[in-house]
Amino acid sequence: IAIKKVHQTTFMLTPNGDGLSDVLTTTFFQNEASAVTIDLQKASDHSLVRQLWNSLSTGRGNHVVVFDGRSGGVLADGDYRLHITATDPIPGRPDAVLNVPFALDTSLAFPSLKSYLSANGDGRFDVLPISATATGAAAPVEIRILRGNVVMRTLYSNTVTGSFSTTFDGTNGAGTYYADGQYMVSVRRI
């Protein structure tokens, strides 16, 4: 049996009621029928926080998991993962496992979630503006550029309350442009 992630709506879940990144939706593909268990775990030690699905009988195809960060009680801010296990129906074959990492932060609000950068000097999309709002008490916040799980550059690191912003010009900070591709902006409390 095999499972793979098809789509994940966000890597930063901010269930604060602003309508942006309030829900994590993950779509995974399963190549044959099995019983699927989905555990919400702390990313640091993989300890169980709560179980979302318990041996749910599923067929071959795409399946969608929706998590709002509040069902079953409000979670503490931090790094988590959905640990998805498809139990192989044939004895002796290994189970399939998929881990979906995400961070949860109830103090952040994002004015926009998807943008484009085309840093080629033509005056269109040459700089990516990035802004967010931290609610509550002042807290240290970091804005990073990631490619996959690799931190390419830290753009901003400061203690803030309220709105804050920076820009990304597509470079490593020393003037060298990154290769074309998909990058993620990570805004998190540290």
Side-chain angles (χ1 to χ4, degrees), residues 57-172:
S57 183
T58 57
R60 181 184 191 281
N62 286 334
H63 302 282
V64 177
V65 182
V66 179
F67 179 65
D68 67 2
R70 295 181 184 274
S71 297
V74 178
L75 294 176
D77 291 351
D79 294 325
Y80 295 91
R81 73 181 191 171
L82 297 180
H83 182 74
I84 304 171
T85 305
T87 303
D88 199 302
I90 299 174
R93 287 198 321 187
D95 297 339
V97 174
L98 173 66
N99 290 304
V100 180
F102 68 96
L104 185 135
D105 193 327
T106 56
S107 70
L108 294 175
F110 298 96
S112 74
L113 297 175
K114 188 172 184 178
S115 295
Y116 301 92
L117 176 67
S118 174
N120 59 9
D122 67 357
R124 296 182 317 154
F125 304 111
D126 284 340
V127 176
L128 177 67
I130 303 164
S131 62
T133 302
T135 59
V141 173
E142 188 175 71
I143 300 175
R144 302 178 306 170
I145 302 297
L146 300 136
R147 183 148 195 189
N149 292 327
V150 177
V151 176
M152 304 298 289
R153 181 175 173 195
T154 298
L155 294 174
Y156 183 94
S157 184
N158 206 347
T159 298
V160 299
T161 186
S163 297
F164 56 99
S165 64
T166 189
T167 59
F168 177 52
D169 63 1
T171 71
N172 64 359

